[in-house]
Amino acid sequence: MRQPPRLHSLRAKLTLANVALLALGIVAATAVSLMGMRHYLLDQIDSELTRSRDSLAASSLTVRQIDSLSVMAFVRDRVAPQHAGERPAPDSIYAALDGRGEPRSLFGIAPTDAQRELTRAVGDPGALARDPEPHDVTVGGAPYRATATRLADGTYLVFAASTDALHKGVAKALKLDLAVGTLLLALLACLTMFSVRRRMRPLEDMVETSSAIAEGDLTRRVPSSRETTLEVEQLRLALNSMLQQVESAYRTRERSAAQLRRFVADASHELRTPLSAIRGYLQLYDKGMLREEAERKRAWARVMAEADRMGHLVDELLTLARLDQQPELRFRNVDVSRLVREAAEDLRAQQPLRPVTADADGALLVQADEPGLRKVLGNLVANVRVHTPADVPVRLCAERADGVVRLCVEDAGPGLAGEDAARVFDRFFRAGGGAGSGLGMAIVQGVVRAHGGEVAVRTAPGEGLAVTVTLPARVPAGP
Protein backbone atom coordinates (compact mmCIF):
# COMPACT_ATOMS: atom_id res chain seq x y z
CA MET A 1 0.00 0.00 0.00
CA ARG A 2 1.46 3.34 -1.07
CA GLN A 3 1.83 5.90 1.68
CA PRO A 4 0.65 9.50 1.14
CA PRO A 5 3.45 12.06 0.77
CA ARG A 6 4.66 13.57 4.03
CA LEU A 7 6.45 16.84 4.67
CA HIS A 8 9.74 15.07 5.40
CA SER A 9 9.52 12.74 2.41
CA LEU A 10 11.78 13.15 -0.59
CA ARG A 11 8.77 13.75 -2.78
CA ALA A 12 7.57 16.66 -0.63
CA LYS A 13 11.07 18.12 -0.36
CA LEU A 14 11.58 18.07 -4.13
CA THR A 15 8.19 19.68 -4.65
CA LEU A 16 8.87 22.41 -2.08
CA ALA A 17 12.30 23.06 -3.58
CA ASN A 18 10.88 23.49 -7.09
CA VAL A 19 8.07 25.72 -5.88
CA ALA A 20 10.47 27.83 -3.80
CA LEU A 21 12.85 28.29 -6.74
CA LEU A 22 10.00 29.29 -9.05
CA ALA A 23 8.62 31.66 -6.41
CA LEU A 24 12.02 33.35 -6.12
CA GLY A 25 12.18 33.63 -9.90
CA ILE A 26 8.70 35.11 -10.11
CA VAL A 27 9.44 37.61 -7.33
CA ALA A 28 12.69 38.67 -8.97
CA ALA A 29 11.12 38.97 -12.43
CA THR A 30 8.13 40.91 -11.05
CA ALA A 31 10.37 43.30 -9.13
CA VAL A 32 12.58 43.96 -12.14
CA SER A 33 9.64 44.46 -14.52
CA LEU A 34 7.75 46.77 -12.15
CA MET A 35 10.83 48.81 -11.40
CA GLY A 36 11.55 49.11 -15.11
CA MET A 37 7.97 50.14 -15.89
CA ARG A 38 7.91 52.70 -13.07
CA HIS A 39 11.26 54.12 -14.13
CA TYR A 40 10.10 54.40 -17.75
CA LEU A 41 6.80 56.13 -16.91
CA LEU A 42 8.45 58.49 -14.43
CA ASP A 43 11.06 59.32 -17.03
CA GLN A 44 8.29 60.26 -19.48
CA ILE A 45 6.60 62.54 -16.94
CA ASP A 46 9.92 64.09 -15.93
CA SER A 47 10.83 64.70 -19.58
CA GLU A 48 7.56 66.56 -20.20
CA LEU A 49 8.00 68.68 -17.07
CA THR A 50 11.62 69.43 -17.93
CA ARG A 51 10.74 70.54 -21.49
CA SER A 52 8.07 72.92 -20.20
CA ARG A 53 10.45 74.33 -17.61
CA ASP A 54 13.30 74.79 -20.06
CA SER A 55 11.05 76.47 -22.62
CA LEU A 56 9.90 79.08 -20.11
CA ALA A 57 13.40 79.61 -18.78
CA ALA A 58 14.76 80.21 -22.26
CA SER A 59 12.01 82.72 -23.14
CA SER A 60 13.08 85.27 -20.42
CA LEU A 61 9.47 86.31 -19.92
CA THR A 62 7.86 87.80 -16.86
CA VAL A 63 4.57 86.91 -15.28
CA ARG A 64 3.04 90.17 -16.53
CA GLN A 65 4.19 89.43 -20.05
CA ILE A 66 2.82 85.97 -19.87
CA ASP A 67 -0.43 87.29 -18.43
CA SER A 68 -0.80 90.15 -20.92
CA LEU A 69 0.41 88.47 -24.06
CA SER A 70 -1.13 85.10 -23.26
CA VAL A 71 2.11 83.50 -24.36
CA MET A 72 1.46 80.20 -22.63
CA ALA A 73 -1.92 79.34 -24.04
CA PHE A 74 -1.49 75.75 -22.96
CA VAL A 75 -1.04 77.02 -19.40
CA ARG A 76 -4.25 79.04 -19.69
CA ASP A 77 -6.09 75.97 -20.96
CA ARG A 78 -4.92 73.99 -17.94
CA VAL A 79 -5.17 76.62 -15.23
CA ALA A 80 -8.33 78.47 -16.32
CA PRO A 81 -10.67 75.67 -15.37
CA GLN A 82 -9.23 75.75 -11.87
CA HIS A 83 -10.28 79.44 -11.58
CA ALA A 84 -13.69 78.72 -13.03
CA GLY A 85 -14.55 76.86 -9.82
CA GLU A 86 -13.87 73.37 -11.16
CA ARG A 87 -11.87 70.73 -9.31
CA PRO A 88 -8.11 70.57 -10.01
CA ALA A 89 -7.09 68.77 -13.14
CA PRO A 90 -6.00 65.27 -12.19
CA ASP A 91 -2.94 65.27 -14.45
CA SER A 92 -1.14 68.62 -13.82
CA ILE A 93 -1.12 71.83 -11.73
CA TYR A 94 0.61 75.19 -12.36
CA ALA A 95 1.26 77.85 -9.74
CA ALA A 96 3.08 81.24 -9.68
CA LEU A 97 5.07 82.14 -6.53
CA ASP A 98 6.71 85.42 -5.61
CA GLY A 99 10.21 85.70 -4.20
CA ARG A 100 8.99 84.87 -0.69
CA GLY A 101 7.38 81.68 -1.90
CA GLU A 102 3.79 82.96 -1.55
CA PRO A 103 1.30 82.10 -4.30
CA ARG A 104 0.20 85.00 -6.50
CA SER A 105 -2.55 85.46 -9.02
CA LEU A 106 -2.16 84.21 -12.55
CA PHE A 107 -4.16 85.52 -15.49
CA GLY A 108 -5.86 87.90 -13.06
CA ILE A 109 -7.32 85.06 -11.01
CA ALA A 110 -6.54 84.44 -7.35
CA PRO A 111 -4.69 81.21 -6.41
CA THR A 112 -6.86 78.16 -6.00
CA ASP A 113 -6.77 75.63 -3.16
CA ALA A 114 -4.84 73.20 -5.35
CA GLN A 115 -2.22 75.87 -6.10
CA ARG A 116 -1.88 76.75 -2.44
CA GLU A 117 -1.45 73.07 -1.52
CA LEU A 118 1.17 72.75 -4.22
CA THR A 119 2.97 75.81 -2.81
CA ARG A 120 2.99 74.30 0.67
CA ALA A 121 4.17 70.94 -0.69
CA VAL A 122 7.04 72.54 -2.65
CA GLY A 123 8.33 74.64 0.25
CA ASP A 124 11.37 76.43 -1.17
CA PRO A 125 10.74 77.11 -4.89
CA GLY A 126 14.32 78.30 -5.36
CA ALA A 127 15.80 74.99 -4.38
CA LEU A 128 13.32 73.22 -6.64
CA ALA A 129 14.24 75.51 -9.55
CA ARG A 130 17.95 74.92 -9.04
CA ASP A 131 17.54 71.12 -9.00
CA PRO A 132 17.59 69.75 -12.58
CA GLU A 133 15.44 66.76 -11.62
CA PRO A 134 11.74 66.95 -10.62
CA HIS A 135 10.74 66.01 -7.04
CA ASP A 136 7.95 63.87 -5.59
CA VAL A 137 5.28 65.91 -3.78
CA THR A 138 1.83 65.16 -2.39
CA VAL A 139 -1.04 67.50 -3.23
CA GLY A 140 -4.44 66.80 -1.74
CA GLY A 141 -3.35 63.32 -0.81
CA ALA A 142 -2.38 62.52 -4.42
CA PRO A 143 1.21 61.93 -5.64
CA TYR A 144 2.78 64.42 -8.07
CA ARG A 145 6.11 65.12 -9.71
CA ALA A 146 7.02 68.83 -9.48
CA THR A 147 9.66 71.15 -10.89
CA ALA A 148 10.03 74.96 -11.06
CA THR A 149 11.67 77.72 -13.07
CA ARG A 150 12.52 81.35 -12.24
CA LEU A 151 11.15 83.98 -14.60
CA ALA A 152 12.87 87.19 -15.56
CA ASP A 153 11.05 89.23 -12.90
CA GLY A 154 12.01 86.85 -10.07
CA THR A 155 8.70 85.03 -10.02
CA TYR A 156 8.80 81.23 -9.71
CA LEU A 157 6.51 79.15 -11.87
CA VAL A 158 5.92 75.66 -10.46
CA PHE A 159 4.83 72.71 -12.67
CA ALA A 160 3.35 69.52 -11.14
CA ALA A 161 2.22 66.40 -13.01
CA SER A 162 0.14 63.71 -11.35
CA THR A 163 1.66 60.22 -10.92
CA ASP A 164 -1.49 58.65 -9.51
CA ALA A 165 -2.21 56.83 -12.75
CA LEU A 166 1.36 55.51 -12.73
CA HIS A 167 1.03 54.12 -9.19
CA LYS A 168 -2.35 52.60 -9.97
CA GLY A 169 -0.93 51.00 -13.10
CA VAL A 170 1.99 49.59 -11.15
CA ALA A 171 -0.40 48.26 -8.47
CA LYS A 172 -2.57 46.60 -11.10
CA ALA A 173 0.47 45.08 -12.76
CA LEU A 174 1.65 43.80 -9.35
CA LYS A 175 -1.72 42.19 -8.65
CA LEU A 176 -1.75 40.62 -12.10
CA ASP A 177 1.79 39.28 -11.65
CA LEU A 178 0.92 37.90 -8.23
CA ALA A 179 -2.20 36.19 -9.58
CA VAL A 180 -0.36 34.68 -12.53
CA GLY A 181 2.60 33.70 -10.30
CA THR A 182 0.31 32.00 -7.79
CA LEU A 183 -1.36 30.08 -10.60
CA LEU A 184 2.02 29.05 -11.97
CA LEU A 185 3.19 27.94 -8.53
CA ALA A 186 0.08 25.84 -8.02
CA LEU A 187 0.46 24.31 -11.48
CA LEU A 188 4.15 23.60 -10.89
CA ALA A 189 3.39 21.99 -7.52
CA CYS A 190 0.84 19.65 -9.12
CA LEU A 191 3.10 18.77 -12.04
CA THR A 192 6.08 18.22 -9.73
CA MET A 193 4.07 15.98 -7.42
CA PHE A 194 2.85 13.93 -10.37
CA SER A 195 6.29 13.72 -12.00
CA VAL A 196 8.13 12.92 -8.77
CA ARG A 197 5.57 10.29 -7.85
CA ARG A 198 6.05 8.64 -11.22
CA ARG A 199 9.84 8.87 -11.00
CA MET A 200 9.87 7.65 -7.39
CA ARG A 201 7.75 4.59 -8.14
CA PRO A 202 10.82 2.33 -8.64
CA LEU A 203 12.09 3.37 -5.18
CA GLU A 204 8.69 2.52 -3.69
CA ASP A 205 8.91 -0.87 -5.40
CA MET A 206 12.31 -1.35 -3.75
CA VAL A 207 10.81 -0.56 -0.36
CA GLU A 208 7.97 -3.03 -0.94
CA THR A 209 10.42 -5.70 -2.10
CA SER A 210 12.67 -5.16 0.92
CA SER A 211 9.66 -5.40 3.25
CA ALA A 212 8.52 -8.63 1.58
CA ILE A 213 12.01 -10.10 1.91
CA ALA A 214 12.15 -9.05 5.57
CA GLU A 215 8.90 -10.97 6.07
CA GLY A 216 10.50 -14.12 4.63
CA ASP A 217 9.82 -14.03 0.89
CA LEU A 218 13.39 -14.34 -0.41
CA THR A 219 12.24 -14.84 -4.01
CA ARG A 220 10.96 -11.28 -4.41
CA ARG A 221 12.87 -8.98 -6.75
CA VAL A 222 12.50 -5.33 -7.72
CA PRO A 223 10.47 -5.22 -10.97
CA SER A 224 11.63 -3.20 -13.95
CA SER A 225 9.90 0.12 -14.59
CA ARG A 226 9.02 1.51 -18.02
CA GLU A 227 9.77 5.07 -16.91
CA THR A 228 13.01 5.11 -15.01
CA THR A 229 16.30 6.96 -14.94
CA LEU A 230 19.76 5.53 -15.45
CA GLU A 231 20.71 5.90 -11.79
CA VAL A 232 17.51 4.23 -10.55
CA GLU A 233 17.92 1.38 -13.04
CA GLN A 234 21.51 0.87 -11.90
CA LEU A 235 20.31 0.81 -8.29
CA ARG A 236 17.60 -1.72 -9.20
CA LEU A 237 20.08 -4.03 -10.91
CA ALA A 238 22.55 -3.74 -8.03
CA LEU A 239 19.81 -4.41 -5.46
CA ASN A 240 18.50 -7.43 -7.37
CA SER A 241 22.04 -8.79 -7.65
CA MET A 242 22.54 -8.30 -3.92
CA LEU A 243 19.21 -9.99 -3.17
CA GLN A 244 20.20 -12.92 -5.38
CA GLN A 245 23.43 -13.27 -3.44
CA VAL A 246 21.57 -13.01 -0.14
CA GLU A 247 19.08 -15.68 -1.20
CA SER A 248 21.86 -17.96 -2.43
CA ALA A 249 23.81 -17.48 0.79
CA TYR A 250 20.68 -18.13 2.86
CA ARG A 251 19.83 -21.26 0.86
CA THR A 252 23.41 -22.46 1.14
CA ARG A 253 23.43 -21.87 4.88
CA GLU A 254 20.12 -23.68 5.30
CA ARG A 255 21.35 -26.56 3.18
CA SER A 256 24.64 -26.70 5.10
CA ALA A 257 22.79 -26.59 8.40
CA ALA A 258 20.49 -29.38 7.25
CA GLN A 259 23.46 -31.42 6.04
CA LEU A 260 25.24 -30.82 9.32
CA ARG A 261 22.22 -31.95 11.32
CA ARG A 262 21.87 -35.02 9.13
CA PHE A 263 25.61 -35.65 9.36
CA VAL A 264 25.58 -35.44 13.15
CA ALA A 265 22.54 -37.69 13.32
CA ASP A 266 24.06 -40.25 10.91
CA ALA A 267 27.44 -40.18 12.67
CA SER A 268 25.75 -40.66 16.02
CA HIS A 269 23.77 -43.56 14.62
CA GLU A 270 26.85 -45.15 13.04
CA LEU A 271 28.85 -44.81 16.25
CA ARG A 272 25.98 -45.93 18.48
CA THR A 273 25.84 -49.39 16.87
CA PRO A 274 29.45 -50.50 17.63
CA LEU A 275 29.33 -48.77 21.02
CA SER A 276 26.18 -50.68 21.91
CA ALA A 277 27.76 -53.94 20.82
CA ILE A 278 30.93 -53.27 22.83
CA ARG A 279 28.92 -52.24 25.90
CA GLY A 280 26.79 -55.37 25.61
CA TYR A 281 29.76 -57.74 25.52
CA LEU A 282 31.43 -55.89 28.39
CA GLN A 283 28.27 -56.19 30.49
CA LEU A 284 28.12 -59.92 29.75
CA TYR A 285 31.73 -60.29 30.82
CA ASP A 286 31.19 -58.15 33.94
CA LYS A 287 28.21 -60.23 35.06
CA GLY A 288 30.15 -63.48 34.61
CA MET A 289 27.86 -64.76 31.89
CA LEU A 290 30.80 -65.67 29.59
CA ARG A 291 31.95 -68.80 31.41
CA GLU A 292 33.34 -70.74 28.52
CA GLU A 293 36.73 -69.89 27.01
CA ALA A 294 35.27 -70.06 23.50
CA GLU A 295 32.53 -67.58 24.42
CA ARG A 296 35.07 -65.17 25.89
CA LYS A 297 37.24 -65.42 22.80
CA ARG A 298 34.26 -64.84 20.52
CA ALA A 299 33.13 -61.83 22.60
CA TRP A 300 36.65 -60.44 22.56
CA ALA A 301 36.84 -60.85 18.79
CA ARG A 302 33.52 -59.05 18.38
CA VAL A 303 34.66 -56.22 20.65
CA MET A 304 37.87 -55.80 18.64
CA ALA A 305 35.94 -55.90 15.36
CA GLU A 306 33.50 -53.20 16.50
CA ALA A 307 36.41 -51.13 17.84
CA ASP A 308 38.15 -51.42 14.47
CA ARG A 309 34.91 -50.39 12.78
CA MET A 310 34.63 -47.36 15.05
CA GLY A 311 38.26 -46.47 14.40
CA HIS A 312 37.78 -46.72 10.63
CA LEU A 313 34.65 -44.56 10.85
CA VAL A 314 36.42 -41.94 12.96
CA ASP A 315 39.34 -41.88 10.52
CA GLU A 316 36.99 -41.27 7.62
CA LEU A 317 35.19 -38.52 9.53
CA LEU A 318 38.52 -36.84 10.28
CA THR A 319 39.42 -37.08 6.59
CA LEU A 320 36.18 -35.36 5.63
CA ALA A 321 36.69 -32.71 8.29
CA ARG A 322 40.16 -31.92 6.91
CA LEU A 323 38.78 -31.74 3.36
CA ASP A 324 36.04 -29.35 4.52
CA GLN A 325 38.76 -27.07 5.89
CA GLN A 326 40.39 -26.95 2.42
CA PRO A 327 43.83 -28.22 3.42
CA GLU A 328 46.97 -27.37 1.49
CA LEU A 329 47.83 -30.45 -0.53
CA ARG A 330 51.41 -31.38 -1.32
CA PHE A 331 51.51 -31.38 -5.10
CA ARG A 332 54.27 -33.22 -6.88
CA ASN A 333 54.72 -35.25 -10.05
CA VAL A 334 52.61 -38.37 -9.76
CA ASP A 335 52.46 -41.20 -12.31
CA VAL A 336 48.72 -41.82 -12.48
CA SER A 337 49.18 -44.90 -14.71
CA ARG A 338 51.31 -46.52 -12.02
CA LEU A 339 48.63 -45.87 -9.36
CA VAL A 340 45.96 -47.41 -11.62
CA ARG A 341 48.07 -50.53 -12.26
CA GLU A 342 48.79 -50.94 -8.53
CA ALA A 343 45.08 -50.58 -7.66
CA ALA A 344 44.24 -53.26 -10.26
CA GLU A 345 46.88 -55.59 -8.82
CA ASP A 346 45.49 -55.10 -5.30
CA LEU A 347 41.99 -55.97 -6.51
CA ARG A 348 43.25 -59.11 -8.27
CA ALA A 349 44.99 -60.17 -5.09
CA GLN A 350 41.87 -59.67 -2.99
CA GLN A 351 39.46 -61.24 -5.52
CA PRO A 352 41.36 -63.64 -7.81
CA LEU A 353 38.19 -64.72 -9.64
CA ARG A 354 37.20 -61.19 -10.73
CA PRO A 355 38.18 -60.18 -14.30
CA VAL A 356 40.17 -56.94 -13.94
CA THR A 357 41.36 -54.82 -16.87
CA ALA A 358 43.82 -51.94 -16.46
CA ASP A 359 44.23 -49.58 -19.44
CA ALA A 360 47.16 -47.56 -18.15
CA ASP A 361 50.26 -48.22 -20.20
CA GLY A 362 53.38 -46.10 -20.01
CA ALA A 363 53.65 -43.05 -17.73
CA LEU A 364 51.04 -40.36 -17.26
CA LEU A 365 52.41 -37.59 -15.05
CA VAL A 366 50.25 -35.07 -13.28
CA GLN A 367 50.92 -32.71 -10.40
CA ALA A 368 48.80 -33.94 -7.53
CA ASP A 369 48.81 -35.16 -3.94
CA GLU A 370 49.77 -38.86 -4.22
CA PRO A 371 48.17 -40.03 -0.92
CA GLY A 372 44.97 -38.32 -1.94
CA LEU A 373 44.85 -40.01 -5.35
CA ARG A 374 45.62 -43.37 -3.74
CA LYS A 375 42.68 -42.75 -1.37
CA VAL A 376 40.41 -41.98 -4.34
CA LEU A 377 41.35 -45.14 -6.26
CA GLY A 378 41.22 -47.23 -3.08
CA ASN A 379 37.68 -46.10 -2.25
CA LEU A 380 36.45 -46.66 -5.81
CA VAL A 381 37.93 -50.13 -5.96
CA ALA A 382 36.56 -50.92 -2.47
CA ASN A 383 33.05 -49.96 -3.64
CA VAL A 384 33.38 -52.40 -6.53
CA ARG A 385 34.67 -55.14 -4.22
CA VAL A 386 31.93 -54.68 -1.62
CA HIS A 387 28.86 -53.90 -3.74
CA THR A 388 29.28 -56.15 -6.80
CA PRO A 389 29.54 -59.95 -7.15
CA ALA A 390 33.07 -61.37 -7.17
CA ASP A 391 32.83 -62.49 -10.82
CA VAL A 392 31.73 -59.11 -12.28
CA PRO A 393 34.33 -57.62 -14.68
CA VAL A 394 36.01 -54.35 -13.72
CA ARG A 395 37.91 -51.92 -15.90
CA LEU A 396 40.35 -49.26 -14.66
CA CYS A 397 41.82 -46.72 -17.05
CA ALA A 398 43.81 -43.48 -17.13
CA GLU A 399 44.13 -41.13 -20.10
CA ARG A 400 45.00 -37.57 -21.05
CA ALA A 401 42.55 -35.80 -23.38
CA ASP A 402 41.38 -32.23 -24.04
CA GLY A 403 43.91 -30.81 -21.60
CA VAL A 404 42.71 -32.89 -18.63
CA VAL A 405 43.53 -36.25 -17.06
CA ARG A 406 40.70 -38.75 -16.61
CA LEU A 407 40.63 -41.75 -14.25
CA CYS A 408 37.79 -44.21 -14.71
CA VAL A 409 36.65 -47.19 -12.66
CA GLU A 410 33.88 -49.07 -14.45
CA ASP A 411 32.11 -52.29 -13.49
CA ALA A 412 29.36 -54.39 -15.05
CA GLY A 413 27.43 -54.84 -11.83
CA PRO A 414 23.77 -54.23 -11.01
CA GLY A 415 24.09 -50.42 -11.20
CA LEU A 416 22.03 -47.86 -9.31
CA ALA A 417 18.58 -46.39 -9.66
CA GLY A 418 18.24 -42.71 -10.57
CA GLU A 419 17.32 -41.55 -7.06
CA ASP A 420 20.24 -43.50 -5.56
CA ALA A 421 22.69 -42.13 -8.16
CA ALA A 422 21.64 -38.57 -7.24
CA ARG A 423 22.65 -39.22 -3.60
CA VAL A 424 25.74 -41.30 -4.17
CA PHE A 425 28.02 -38.51 -2.86
CA ASP A 426 25.94 -37.82 0.26
CA ARG A 427 27.60 -38.68 3.53
CA PHE A 428 26.44 -41.90 5.21
CA PHE A 429 24.38 -42.83 2.16
CA ARG A 430 24.34 -46.54 1.41
CA ALA A 431 22.34 -47.73 -1.57
CA GLY A 432 19.88 -50.38 -0.45
CA GLY A 433 21.26 -50.26 3.10
CA GLY A 434 24.40 -52.13 2.04
CA ALA A 435 27.65 -52.56 3.94
CA GLY A 436 30.20 -49.85 4.57
CA SER A 437 30.08 -46.52 6.32
CA GLY A 438 28.62 -44.57 3.43
CA LEU A 439 31.53 -42.08 3.46
CA GLY A 440 33.70 -43.51 0.68
CA MET A 441 32.21 -41.55 -2.26
CA ALA A 442 31.97 -38.38 -0.16
CA ILE A 443 35.73 -38.66 0.51
CA VAL A 444 36.36 -39.23 -3.21
CA GLN A 445 34.45 -36.08 -4.11
CA GLY A 446 36.20 -34.05 -1.41
CA VAL A 447 39.70 -35.08 -2.51
CA VAL A 448 38.97 -34.47 -6.18
CA ARG A 449 37.51 -31.03 -5.50
CA ALA A 450 40.58 -30.18 -3.41
CA HIS A 451 42.59 -30.90 -6.58
CA GLY A 452 40.31 -28.61 -8.60
CA GLY A 453 38.71 -31.51 -10.45
CA GLU A 454 35.28 -33.10 -10.87
CA VAL A 455 33.66 -36.49 -10.30
CA ALA A 456 30.92 -37.86 -12.55
CA VAL A 457 28.82 -41.00 -12.21
CA ARG A 458 27.19 -42.87 -15.09
CA THR A 459 24.85 -45.69 -14.10
CA ALA A 460 21.50 -47.30 -14.65
CA PRO A 461 19.79 -50.39 -13.22
CA GLY A 462 21.39 -53.50 -14.78
CA GLU A 463 24.01 -51.47 -16.72
CA GLY A 464 26.77 -51.25 -14.12
CA LEU A 465 28.44 -48.20 -12.61
CA ALA A 466 31.18 -45.99 -14.09
CA VAL A 467 32.89 -43.32 -11.97
CA THR A 468 35.03 -40.81 -13.91
CA VAL A 469 37.48 -38.51 -12.11
CA THR A 470 38.65 -35.48 -14.11
CA LEU A 471 41.81 -33.69 -12.93
CA PRO A 472 43.39 -30.56 -14.41
CA ALA A 473 46.49 -31.54 -16.39
CA ARG A 474 49.25 -29.55 -14.72
CA VAL A 475 52.45 -29.67 -16.75
CA PRO A 476 55.35 -30.88 -14.59
CA ALA A 477 58.03 -28.34 -13.83
CA GLY A 478 60.83 -30.85 -14.55
CA PRO A 479 61.55 -34.53 -15.18
Side-chain angles (χ1 to χ4, degrees), residues 104-383:
R104 57 176 295 178
S105 61
L106 189 62
F107 305 108
I109 302 175
T112 63
D113 294 338
Q115 291 172 335
R116 294 182 184 278
E117 291 182 3
L118 177 61
T119 300
R120 289 192 294 270
V122 168
D124 183 8
L128 184 62
R130 289 189 297 271
D131 194 341
E133 297 293 332
H135 289 189
D136 288 321
V137 296
T138 301
V139 179
Y144 283 79
R145 295 283 286 179
T147 187
T149 184
R150 190 173 185 274
L151 301 180
D153 59 354
T155 303
Y156 291 97
L157 192 61
V158 180
F159 309 87
S162 175
T163 58
D164 184 61
L166 181 149
H167 291 293
K168 290 182 178 179
V170 171
K172 289 182 180 179
L174 177 61
K175 293 180 180 179
L176 179 61
D177 289 345
L178 291 178
V180 174
T182 302
L183 180 61
L184 289 177
L185 290 177
L187 181 61
L188 176 66
C190 295
L191 292 178
T192 302
M193 289 289 292
F194 175 76
S195 177
V196 171
R197 180 179 181 181
R198 185 178 60 184
R199 298 297 181 186
M200 296 285 289
R201 192 166 299 161
L203 298 182
E204 295 177 355
D205 293 338
M206 295 179 190
V207 174
E208 293 181 358
T209 301
S210 301
S211 300
I213 291 176
E215 293 175 358
D217 186 6
L218 297 180
T219 60
R220 285 286 296 272
R221 296 294 182 269
V222 181
S224 178
S225 177
R226 293 178 299 176
E227 299 178 358
T228 184
T229 59
L230 176 61
E231 292 78 5
V232 174
E233 182 65 15
Q234 291 176 342
L235 178 60
R236 184 188 71 84
L237 294 176
L239 183 59
N240 281 344
S241 177
M242 182 192 69
L243 293 177
Q244 182 66 34
Q245 295 293 332
V246 170
E247 182 184 6
S248 299
Y250 179 79
R251 301 299 184 194
T252 301
R253 189 186 69 175
E254 289 294 315
R255 185 166 55 253
S256 299
Q259 291 178 351
L260 179 61
R261 289 191 296 269
R262 186 169 61 251
F263 174 77
V264 172
D266 293 340
S268 301
H269 176 74
E270 293 294 332
L271 291 174
R272 185 185 299 113
T273 301
L275 284 175
S276 299
I278 293 174
R279 184 183 297 111
Y281 284 114
L282 291 177
Q283 288 177 353
L284 290 175
Y285 179 80
D286 183 59
K287 293 179 180 179
M289 299 179 66
L290 302 176
R291 298 172 181 170
E292 299 293 335
E293 184 66 22
E295 292 179 351
R296 288 195 293 270
K297 288 183 178 181
R298 184 172 62 84
W300 179 253
R302 290 297 302 149
V303 168
M304 293 301 296
E306 294 299 331
D308 291 340
R309 178 184 174 188
M310 273 195 352
H312 179 69
L313 181 60
V314 170
D315 290 339
E316 290 186 334
L317 290 175
L318 288 176
T319 301
L320 287 174
R322 294 191 187 98
L323 292 174
D324 290 339
Q325 294 176 0
Q326 298 181 353
E328 294 184 3
L329 302 179
R330 296 180 180 179
F331 290 97
R332 62 177 183 175
N333 295 338
V334 179
D335 186 358
V336 179
S337 297
R338 177 174 58 85
L339 297 184
V340 170
R341 291 194 297 268
E342 291 177 356
E345 292 174 359
D346 292 342
L347 183 58
R348 292 191 188 100
Q350 294 170 357
Q351 293 181 333
L353 300 179
R354 183 186 296 273
V356 179
T357 305
D359 296 334
D361 298 332
L364 182 57
L365 297 180
V366 64
Q367 286 187 346
D369 180 68
E370 183 173 351
L373 291 187
R374 287 187 180 276
K375 186 70 174 177
V376 169
L377 287 172
N379 285 359
L380 295 179
V381 171
N383 282 341

Side-chain angles (χ1 to χ4, degrees), residues 393-445:
V394 179
R395 175 176 173 269
L396 289 78
C397 69
E399 62 178 358
R400 186 190 299 272
D402 301 330
V404 296
V405 173
R406 292 190 179 92
L407 304 178
C408 182
V409 177
E410 181 179 1
D411 65 67
L416 296 175
E419 57 273 14
D420 291 337
R423 297 187 56 194
V424 71
F425 296 110
D426 291 351
R427 298 178 181 182
F428 296 106
F429 173 74
R430 293 190 294 268
S437 63
L439 296 176
M441 294 300 292
I443 292 176
V444 169
Q445 186 182 53

